[in-house]
Amino acid sequence: MELKVSQQMVKERSASYPVEGATLQVQSILYGLSIKEVGRTIESLRRGFDLAHADGVLERLRFFMGDTSAEPCLSDEELEKVKEKYGDFIEIDYHFFDKNVGSAAGHNFLAEDADTDYLMILNPDVVISPRLLQRMIAPFQSGAVGMTEAKQLPIEHPKDYDARTGETSWATTACAITPTNLFRQLEGFDSESFFLYCDDVDYSWRVREAGKKVIFLPDAVAFHDKRVSQSGSWQPSSAEVYYSAQAALLMAYKWSNEKLLNKILSFYENGSEQERAAFDHFQTKREENKLPEQRDRSHKIATFEGFLYAKHRYAL
């Protein structure tokens, strides 16, 4: 998915954004979650909206869920109960895809008819802190910011950021906000390339490519429910390992880092079962001429640090 508008066009169309009386669509992709788990997220959004509305920051909040599970996570009865409980505060919508379309394609679909000033991409297992919404919307006032990101607990992402300005290489969409018109101008996430991982890195770099800043906000705190081992490390599933490896190859190719691409290909060719599968997937796309168009050949945007997409402040 290529950028089809110039940086100047983006700047002209999004010179400033409303930060008073704004409207926000929060969207989450569900996969195998219970109504209890989703309910925690909605409850935190309700409280966050209460405070943001009282402060005059938000006029309206819509929560749109897209379900990629094999069977619906929410029954009709459960959905009606949720709407009955929270409908006076939040507009709640739900779409069952009836197949696993992936996070990038799912979010693009949910954003198609958004009539709000902003989009929040939120993992459905995230609980936001009470004043997170105000803090994440405030930086857009200048018109220089294209994306804001919350701080995750209990496992904070280790990527570096400027302690004074909050500027960072990319924003993880476990909890991030971007203006709706900018999302559309950049044609959303690259769902042709990224199924589960790195769609947020790629979108962040295209935001920066368009002349906008990506800002990390350490005072906007969100709890992200992650499972860790006894040593404290994250435990990815085999599917997560595969899609992460697949995305790593496509990121290196799309963002014109041939040296890194060859290094990853060499590593994955004799790697784990999931890594070899990712290697085969990339080679098939290459043979079929289905790889994304390359960009940033002068290496002014992408910030590869070894196999990472930014400098890290500490090791996990």
Side-chain angles (χ1 to χ4, degrees):
M1 186 177 295
E2 280 299 303
L3 181 67
K4 294 184 179 178
V5 293
S6 68
Q7 292 186 21
Q8 184 61 34
M9 288 171 67
V10 172
K11 291 176 183 178
E12 289 173 355
R13 295 179 190 175
S14 55
S16 62
Y17 304 107
V19 291
E20 293 183 0
T23 56
L24 174 68
Q25 174 165 300
V26 180
Q27 45 187 68
S28 292
I29 300 298
L30 311 184
Y31 186 80
L33 293 178
S34 68
I35 183 60
K36 181 179 179 180
E37 292 168 305
V38 178
R40 291 189 309 167
T41 299
I42 298 175
E43 183 64 39
S44 72
L45 286 171
R46 185 202 66 81
R47 182 54 179 157
F49 176 70
D50 282 351
L51 295 172
H53 183 69
D55 290 347
V57 175
L58 277 180
E59 181 65 30
R60 172 176 163 240
L61 188 146
R62 181 192 191 204
F63 183 46
F64 197 0
M65 295 170 280
D67 192 346
T68 64
S69 310
E71 300 290 336
C73 289
L74 277 69
S75 66
D76 291 342
E77 182 180 355
E78 289 172 329
L79 181 60
E80 285 307 310
K81 286 183 178 179
V82 169
K83 288 184 175 181
E84 186 176 308
K85 183 175 182 179
Y86 298 104
D88 291 341
F89 309 93
I90 305 173
E91 301 168 30
I92 296 176
D93 289 296
Y94 172 83
H95 178 82
F96 178 59
F97 287 103
D98 201 21
K99 63 178 179 178
N100 189 354
V101 300
S103 62
H107 278 298
N108 285 346
F109 175 87
L110 297 182
E112 279 182 4
D113 297 323
D115 59 353
T116 55
D117 301 311
Y118 300 98
L119 296 174
M120 171 182 266
I121 312 299
L122 184 71
N123 273 32
D125 57 355
V126 166
V127 176
I128 69 168
S129 56
R131 295 195 180 276
L132 175 141
L133 297 176
Q134 296 99 309
R135 289 168 181 164
M136 292 189 70
I137 289 174
F140 293 105
Q141 185 170 15
S142 68
V145 175
M147 196 175 188
T148 59
E149 173 194 9
K151 174 181 178 178
Q152 297 178 53
L153 294 178
I155 303 177
E156 181 180 350
H157 198 287
K159 64 184 174 62
D160 197 15
Y161 64 93
D162 188 302
R164 182 179 60 85
T165 66
E167 286 189 61
T168 189
S169 171
W170 64 278
T172 167
T173 49
C175 184
I177 292 180
T178 191
T180 305
N181 63 351
L182 181 61
F183 187 81
R184 290 191 174 129
Q185 288 161 15
L186 300 184
E187 300 185 348
F189 295 115
D190 181 358
S191 59
E192 292 295 320
S193 299
F194 307 106
F195 181 82
L196 188 61
Y197 287 111
C198 287
D199 51 336
D200 49 5
V201 185
D202 175 75
Y203 178 76
S204 299
W205 287 358
R206 286 186 286 121
V207 167
R208 291 176 44 230
E209 188 178 49
K212 298 294 182 180
K213 298 176 182 178
V214 176
I215 302 295
F216 174 76
L217 300 167
D219 63 343
V221 179
F223 172 77
H224 189 187
D225 191 4
K226 281 183 175 286
R227 299 294 183 262
V228 297
S229 67
Q230 289 185 345
S231 65
S233 59
W234 174 48
Q235 300 182 93
S237 66
S238 59
E240 289 170 330
V241 172
Y242 167 69
Y243 286 116
S244 178
Q246 185 186 103
L249 289 166
L250 289 166
M251 281 294 292
Y253 178 85
K254 180 174 180 178
W255 290 90
S256 305
N257 194 323
E258 293 293 329
K259 183 177 180 180
L260 177 60
L261 173 63
N262 291 331
K263 185 182 294 186
I264 299 174
L265 283 170
S266 177
F267 183 79
Y268 285 172
E269 186 175 14
N270 300 297
S272 67
E273 178 183 352
Q274 293 80 18
E275 290 165 343
R276 293 196 304 273
F279 173 90
D280 292 340
H281 174 267
F282 180 86
Q283 296 292 53
T284 298
K285 287 181 77 75
R286 173 179 266 172
E287 291 166 5
E288 295 176 351
N289 198 29
K290 292 182 179 179
L291 290 173
E293 186 175 339
Q294 290 185 296
R295 60 202 309 144
D296 190 36
R297 295 181 184 276
S298 60
H299 307 293
K300 294 181 179 179
I301 302 297
T303 51
F304 291 102
E305 293 288 332
F307 290 93
L308 306 175
Y309 306 111
K311 290 182 179 180
H312 280 194
R313 290 173 291 130
Y314 57 89
L316 286 176

